[in-house]
Amino acid sequence: MKKLLKSFGYAFAGIWSGFRTQRNMKIHVAVALLVFILGAIVSLTRMEWMIVIIVICAVISLELINTAIEAAVDMHGTKRHPLAKLAKDSAAGAVLVMSIGAVLIGLLIFLPKLYRLL
């Protein structure tokens, strides 16, 4: 049980470190909070909430993976290498692809509701 609790502690430390040190993570969390507030205002359905939560978790998870890849590559050294660039750029690209998808999903869910509200 102690090992399990320790592993959760490490995981939360990783999340907190990502939030504390990564500008983009702060942006993702701020946008997520705004989406939660807007979702409450427009009364999302249960299914819409599930989709929104999955998408938010996916973006934040990918940002944490991106941070881990960047840290691992940087730990190896500061010398430029094409494979290091590929790893870092690909990880950042994964976050960007998911973020664009999140925006599109958000528009599909929120625009009709905001249109009816106005």
Side-chain angles (χ1 to χ4, degrees):
M1 185 65 157
K2 275 188 178 184
K3 285 184 179 184
L4 178 64
L5 290 177
K6 243 182 174 178
S7 68
F8 276 106
Y10 294 140
F12 283 117
I15 294 167
W16 176 244
S17 177
F19 178 76
R20 193 173 33 81
T21 64
Q22 301 300 309
R23 179 193 70 225
N24 289 346
M25 178 64 87
K26 290 175 186 167
I27 293 169
H28 295 312
V29 170
V31 169
L33 291 173
L34 291 174
V35 168
F36 282 125
I37 292 167
L38 185 58
I41 291 169
V42 300
S43 300
L44 294 181
T45 66
R46 182 181 176 137
M47 181 61 73
E48 290 167 336
W49 275 118
M50 288 189 288
I51 293 166
V52 165
I53 290 167
I54 288 169
V55 168
I56 288 171
C57 289
V59 170
I60 290 173
S61 294
L62 280 172
E63 186 62 46
L64 289 168
I65 292 168
N66 179 47
T67 300
I69 289 170
E70 287 184 355
V73 168
D74 290 346
M75 182 181 70
H76 186 66
T78 56
K79 185 179 173 187
R80 290 187 179 261
H81 191 283
L83 291 176
K85 179 176 178 13
L86 176 62
K88 292 173 89 170
D89 290 352
S90 297
V95 178
L96 181 60
V97 167
M98 189 64 227
S99 296
I100 291 169
V103 168
L104 294 174
I105 290 169
L107 290 173
L108 288 170
I109 291 173
F110 283 97
L111 280 182
K113 292 181 176 293
L114 291 172
Y115 180 75
R116 276 185 245 128
L117 204 74
L118 301 173

